[in-house]
Amino acid sequence: GVHIYEYTPGFLHSKVVSADEASAVVGSCNFDFRSLYLHFECGVWMYRTAAVEAVEEDFQAIRAVSREVKPEDCRLPWHRSLVRKFLQVFAPLT
């Protein structure tokens, strides 16, 4: 049920999570191990406040000018995929 969208007018760096029209998280932290456990990044959690509705309205406005990314948009040609697999051998596992 997850959909991914590309913001076509430009670039957005904010991170927003909205759930069940009751809670939302807005901030600068990425949703990966390093950002959540090792870095000092900021985020605010909102629960059942008027701000949650505003976050949802803003998200819907952004989604209206964005395009949905489909799995076929992410497929690489076979030769690029092969090069990626080769280079992954040299990537650090941290």
Side-chain angles (χ1 to χ4, degrees), residues 8-71:
T8 52
F11 178 77
L12 287 175
H13 192 67
S14 63
K15 285 76 172 185
V16 177
V17 175
S18 177
D20 301 330
E21 298 178 0
S23 64
V25 177
V26 178
S28 66
C29 57
N30 295 313
F31 297 104
D32 62 353
F33 178 82
R34 183 177 301 217
S35 295
L36 294 173
Y37 292 98
L38 301 176
H39 292 168
F40 297 101
E41 298 194 38
C42 296
V44 62
W45 176 62
M46 297 165 272
Y47 182 70
R48 294 189 181 184
T49 67
V52 173
E53 187 177 330
V55 167
E56 183 64 30
E57 289 172 4
D58 184 56
F59 175 76
Q60 295 302 335
I62 289 169
R63 193 174 74 157
V65 294
S66 302
R67 75 170 189 90
E68 186 171 2
V69 178
K70 302 287 186 181

Side-chain angles (χ1 to χ4, degrees), residues 2-3 6-9 18 26 28 41 46 48 53 55 70-71 73 80 83 86 88-89 91 94:
V2 173
H3 297 270
E6 178 183 13
Y7 181 65
T8 52
S18 177
V26 178
S28 66
E41 298 194 38
M46 297 165 272
R48 294 189 181 184
E53 187 177 330
V55 167
K70 302 287 186 181
D73 297 333
R80 289 194 64 190
V83 170
F86 174 75
Q88 282 178 343
V89 172
T94 58

